[in-house]
Amino acid sequence: MIRLGVDVGGTFTDLILINEGTDQSWVHKVPSTPSDPSEAVIKGVTEICEMAKIQPSKIDQFFHGTTVATNIVLEHNGANVGMITTEGFRDILHIARHKRPYNFSLYQDLPWQKYPLVERRNRLVVPERVSAAGEVITSLDEEKTREQVRKLKDAKVDSIAVCFVFSFKNPSHESRVKEIIQEEFPEAYLSISNEILPQYREYERFSTVALNAFIGPKVSRYIKRLEEVLDEMEVSTSVHLMQSNGGIATSEVAAEKPINLLLSGPVAGLIGGIKAAKNAGFDNVITLDIGGTSADIGVAPNGEMRMRHLLDTRIGEYNAMVPMVDIDAIGAGGGSIAHVDEGGIFRVGPQSAGADPGPACYNRGGALPTSTDAQVILGRIHADSSLAGDMQVVAELSEKAFEEHIAQKLNMTSLEAAAGALKIMTHNMVNAIEMNSVRKGYDPRDFTLVAAGGAGPLFACDIAEELNIPNVVVPPYPGITAAMGLLASDIAYEKVHTLWGSLTHPDVPNISSVIDKLEKESYKALKEDGMRDDQTVLRRVVDCRYSGQGYELRVDAPEGEINDSWVTEVIQRFHQAHLREYASQFPDQEVIAINVRVIGIGLVKSEKEQLFVTEGQEMFSIDEYPQYPVYFWNSDQLEKVQTPFIIRNDIPIGTSLSGPAVIQQKDSTTILPPDCTASFDSYGNIVIDMRQKIEKKFQAYASISK
């Protein structure tokens, strides 16, 4: 079987192709094409197939992670959206939750009002009303509905969101409106709330459905264009896309519900990092995926992805109440621009030089100093290095950029400016990791840091030292870890129903009926994707809270018959989850089940290992490699150390190296500082032991305090 993973990032598009029949693998990177991401995808597919000497038609599985949906939201360039809603609820999207980004500022732009998903003139209402129990109070006015649909057609909207109050209890009115729209305005892209998010919480549901309509036309066109071009290349398999819940979906499902593609790439990076750490023998994982534009941080205790609370799932300032893996992103990447702000403060990011023109050292027109340029000045990326296979480094351009834009303004040398830029970036990433670990009850010292992305291995050891993390794992191809994660994923669809019923005094037949319905829907969706019964797994989840609480926790529910014992087990699991999350539990309190969910999983990932690594040189010797001066931090001082630059593919499995060393490969560069040791395991991972360096740091602190 030949499997291909393609991840589109802000700067590079990463590809990995594995031929399981011959135990061979190939990796490739091409610059992303933001104006049309499919161009980079097609270019990369063509080139990696040439490298593997196969025809694209031989590809059996095609997995894709994309930033298209996320970028549309962040850049505010989505569709012209119309909305039809219940009379009296026209301004739900404008009012939101009365939350203000700056509590004490009387003059501030609220992002959801400054950049509305649906302009007020396109938010139209119709007479209809359903009660909280699902009973029809006011019948749908169909003539008024047709009139409003025609108004939206005359306004030339691209898509229509339909959101009625309590439609998750009774979707009949929304379903009828959908039929009317298809009769009057069939070319409009449709986003119907009971199909996208049949859940309670009024504003979040409205926002999610509007967001789906906002990104839907562009995303569906992108998917369609990609499939058309792949058809021209005679790729027979369909495209599967990574979702924000950590599973993949067929292109048809992704085009219908593109809201589930948000955070597509970062989730794949976390999955790939978990896989690499597991291969290296580590369970507790912190992943640091640093690309050209951003750094994505994930924490996976026991190798399990954490899901965000549904009230915390947002993109930019828009609520997107869909299942999302708990990942945070900050503006810290290889292309992050160093600058002095108007107040004279030295900052790095979040602005990025991106793929075009890129860092100054790329010699593609970029003149501003970036993180990559700082690495060049400190000698960590050498002038003889090549980035992404064919871009040569021009060190003089990095020096010029830092001298003109930083050093002269702050009265320092370009070397000091570059070192300061890397210190600032390291500090920003350490803070972000602490926010995702320490502040959520996890001790980084109990975890292993997985360095992913093209720039992750450049920063990993410095960050691990700051956080006292004992081990760093660098995957075989860190720059394409997200693409690797795509191949380690299964199809996953999550069906949800708002129950809002007591578990302490349960209506067991109703609970059983709802879950049975969701399981049948999930099973049907997987069968439509061609999954066999032995590939199908159904998981149950219940969102629970104590009576009187405003927020709920996700609780994995047991399999088997739904009876009183099943309900009791769910309650016990909720108490345990509440204790773990909040360090308290209240066994005497009534427990409420807000939502029930069924996650349908289609097992498609291979049982084989993802990568088939090279054996390295038989007579490997570190003395055969050139040495160049590299600057490392020793306490608070920069020291210049002659450092060997080694080709990673030359290093045999089982080798141990002592720092300092710079380990180069096509997609990334790994920095091994002094007082650290690295071993190369049979899976191709570099496992770096940080304990000696951390101990030396504590000894230095102790001597200073004396």
Side-chain angles (χ1 to χ4, degrees):
M1 179 177 287
I2 296 176
R3 314 173 76 223
L4 177 65
V6 182
D7 178 62
V8 178
T11 304
F12 288 108
T13 293
D14 306 326
L15 303 97
I16 176 170
L17 187 144
I18 293 179
N19 188 334
E20 295 181 346
T22 61
D23 283 2
Q24 291 177 290
S25 57
W26 295 265
V27 299
H28 192 42
K29 294 172 78 76
V30 296
S32 295
T33 50
S35 59
D36 183 0
S38 63
E39 291 181 8
V41 174
I42 301 308
K43 183 176 187 291
V45 171
T46 302
E47 292 178 359
I48 200 169
C49 286
E50 290 174 355
M51 292 164 57
K53 294 182 172 55
I54 65 165
Q55 294 297 318
S57 59
K58 298 296 183 181
I59 297 172
D60 297 302
Q61 291 181 342
F62 190 115
F63 299 100
H64 185 30
T66 176
T67 58
V68 171
T70 303
N71 289 344
I72 291 171
V73 179
L74 298 180
E75 295 169 9
H76 307 291
N77 61 0
N80 181 20
V81 182
M83 174 177 275
I84 294 179
T85 187
T86 306
E87 202 168 48
F89 290 81
R90 181 183 189 184
D91 292 320
I92 290 294
L93 286 176
H94 184 85
I95 297 169
R97 289 282 180 188
H98 284 297
K99 291 182 179 178
R100 302 165 65 86
Y102 307 102
N103 288 336
F104 302 104
S105 173
L106 297 178
Y107 303 97
Q108 59 179 303
D109 287 321
L110 300 179
W112 56 89
Q113 295 178 2
K114 183 176 181 180
Y115 301 105
L117 295 171
V118 189
E119 297 286 352
R120 192 171 195 273
R121 61 180 175 272
N122 292 333
R123 299 198 299 264
L124 306 182
V125 299
V126 296
E128 75 83 38
R129 193 61 187 264
V130 172
S131 73
E135 299 172 351
V136 175
I137 299 173
T138 302
S139 297
L140 175 69
D141 188 331
E142 296 193 10
E143 284 305 312
K144 182 65 174 180
T145 301
R146 290 186 185 276
E147 178 186 332
Q148 301 293 48
V149 172
R150 290 166 186 160
K151 284 183 180 178
L152 292 177
K153 185 175 183 178
D154 292 340
K156 295 182 170 52
V157 301
D158 304 303
S159 58
I160 299 178
V162 180
C163 253
F164 288 160
V165 177
F166 295 117
S167 60
F168 58 88
K169 282 290 188 179
N170 182 345
S172 60
H173 287 174
E174 284 190 351
S175 299
R176 179 58 186 143
V177 171
K178 178 181 178 180
E179 294 172 354
I180 293 172
I181 296 173
Q182 289 173 333
E183 294 168 8
E184 297 286 344
F185 193 5
E187 59 271 31
Y189 182 93
L190 294 184
S191 183
I192 313 297
S193 83
N194 73 81
E195 297 175 358
I196 304 300
L197 189 68
Q199 261 180 267
Y200 100 109
R201 283 204 169 92
E202 195 172 86
Y203 164 66
E204 287 78 12
R205 180 164 57 91
F206 276 54
S207 176
T208 304
V209 175
L211 198 55
N212 190 75
F214 187 71
I215 65 177
K218 278 192 175 182
V219 172
S220 59
R221 284 196 297 269
Y222 166 72
I223 295 173
K224 182 180 179 181
R225 168 167 165 68
L226 182 61
E227 291 214 308
E228 287 174 349
V229 179
L230 291 174
D231 284 342
E232 293 172 6
M233 298 172 67
E234 299 182 348
V235 176
S236 56
T237 184
S238 61
V239 178
H240 286 74
L241 294 100
M242 174 59 71
Q243 302 177 101
S244 57
N245 66 354
I248 55 177
T250 61
S251 57
E252 293 82 2
V253 172
E256 290 174 4
K257 298 181 180 180
I259 189 74
N260 290 319
L261 299 183
L262 299 172
L263 295 183
S264 173
V267 173
L270 175 58
I271 295 171
I274 292 172
K275 175 68 174 176
K278 182 180 179 182
N279 288 343
F282 300 102
D283 293 325
N284 291 337
V285 180
I286 295 174
T287 58
L288 178 68
D289 189 344
I290 310 177
T293 305
S294 64
D296 301 315
I297 295 155
V299 178
N302 298 316
E304 297 179 359
M305 294 183 293
R306 298 178 303 161
M307 302 300 290
R308 284 186 179 175
H309 190 283
L310 285 175
L311 291 182
D312 294 329
T313 53
R314 57 174 58 90
I315 294 295
E317 293 298 329
Y318 303 110
N319 281 75
M321 201 166 63
V322 293
M324 284 187 189
V325 174
D326 192 2
I327 292 178
D328 271 359
I330 63 172
S336 292
I337 296 170
H339 62 283
V340 179
D341 68 15
E342 294 178 356
I345 304 298
F346 190 2
R347 301 188 185 277
V348 183
Q351 299 85 4
S352 173
D356 186 14
C361 64
Y362 283 13
N363 195 20
R364 298 174 61 182
L368 299 176
T370 67
S371 164
T372 298
D373 294 306
Q375 299 281 9
V376 171
I377 293 173
L378 267 64
R380 300 179 177 192
I381 298 176
H382 195 264
D384 292 338
S385 304
S386 59
L387 300 174
D390 56 5
M391 283 191 289
Q392 290 299 129
V393 173
V394 182
E396 293 80 5
L397 295 176
S398 297
E399 292 267 4
K400 181 181 178 182
F402 266 95
E403 177 66 27
E404 291 182 357
H405 296 279
I406 305 295
Q408 292 179 5
K409 293 181 179 180
L410 298 179
N411 193 27
M412 58 174 59
T413 66
S414 57
L415 176 63
E416 291 170 336
L422 295 186
K423 272 287 189 182
I424 291 169
M425 279 196 67
T426 299
H427 177 72
N428 291 342
M429 288 183 277
V430 166
N431 281 347
I433 292 174
E434 287 180 337
M435 287 283 289
N436 280 271
S437 57
V438 176
R439 298 193 186 189
K440 295 181 180 179
Y442 299 103
D443 188 339
R445 294 174 294 183
D446 298 330
F447 284 72
T448 295
L449 182 66
V450 177
L458 285 165
F459 288 92
C461 289
D462 290 338
I463 291 169
E465 182 183 0
E466 291 289 330
L467 291 166
N468 301 324
I469 296 175
N471 293 288
V472 172
V473 172
V474 181
Y477 302 102
I480 53 93
T481 301
M484 288 170 50
L486 292 169
L487 301 187
S489 304
D490 292 315
I491 290 176
Y493 300 132
E494 186 164 317
K495 306 291 183 180
V496 61
H497 181 89
T498 292
L499 184 68
W500 205 309
S502 174
L503 292 181
T504 306
H505 309 288
D507 182 348
V508 174
N510 182 45
I511 297 173
S512 178
S513 174
V514 169
I515 291 179
D516 181 63
K517 174 177 175 290
L518 296 177
E519 288 183 337
K520 288 178 179 177
E521 291 176 358
S522 299
Y523 180 77
K524 179 183 177 183
L526 292 172
K527 294 296 286 185
E528 289 174 349
D529 286 344
M531 295 294 104
R532 304 185 307 270
D533 285 351
D534 62 340
Q535 294 177 289
T536 301
V537 176
L538 300 179
R539 282 184 51 216
R540 299 165 176 172
V541 175
V542 183
D543 298 346
C544 299
R545 72 190 192 197
Y546 291 118
S547 178
Q549 283 186 316
Y551 305 96
E552 55 274 358
L553 293 174
R554 287 171 64 107
V555 178
D556 287 326
E559 299 178 353
E561 181 184 357
I562 298 172
N563 50 29
D564 290 337
S565 298
W566 183 92
V567 173
T568 300
E569 176 64 21
V570 173
I571 292 174
Q572 290 303 315
R573 292 187 182 189
F574 168 66
H575 290 319
Q576 294 165 9
H578 199 279
L579 179 64
R580 184 172 58 250
E581 190 78 13
Y582 302 114
S584 63
Q585 59 176 318
F586 306 96
D588 296 333
Q589 289 289 319
E590 182 181 17
V591 177
I592 307 296
I594 302 300
N595 304 305
V596 290
R597 305 172 185 275
V598 170
I599 304 171
I601 301 171
L603 304 176
V604 296
K605 65 185 177 187
S606 172
E607 293 302 317
K608 281 199 170 190
E609 286 307 322
Q610 294 180 8
L611 295 170
F612 309 102
V613 297
T614 59
E615 295 292 331
Q617 288 188 354
E618 187 173 343
M619 302 296 292
F620 172 78
S621 173
I622 194 171
D623 297 330
E624 297 179 359
Y625 293 88
Q627 294 192 1
Y628 302 105
V630 178
Y631 288 90
F632 293 97
W633 288 99
N634 183 4
S635 296
D636 292 328
Q637 299 295 322
L638 271 178
E639 287 188 353
K640 184 164 65 174
V641 184
Q642 287 296 116
T643 303
F645 279 60
I646 308 168
I647 304 302
R648 180 167 181 169
N649 285 345
D650 293 348
I651 303 174
I653 292 170
T655 299
S656 291
L657 294 178
S658 295
V662 175
I663 303 166
Q664 298 178 302
Q665 60 191 101
K666 182 177 180 179
D667 62 303
S668 187
T669 298
T670 300
I671 302 298
L672 182 65
D675 302 314
C676 296
T677 58
S679 59
F680 296 76
D681 67 18
S682 59
Y683 294 97
N685 298 307
I686 304 176
V687 181
I688 301 174
D689 189 333
M690 298 290 303
R691 287 173 295 181
Q692 182 182 349
K693 189 169 185 64
I694 293 170
E695 179 64 27
K696 187 175 180 180
K697 177 185 70 172
F698 282 128
Q699 290 174 356
Y701 288 161
S703 64
I704 292 172
S705 64
K706 289 180 182 178

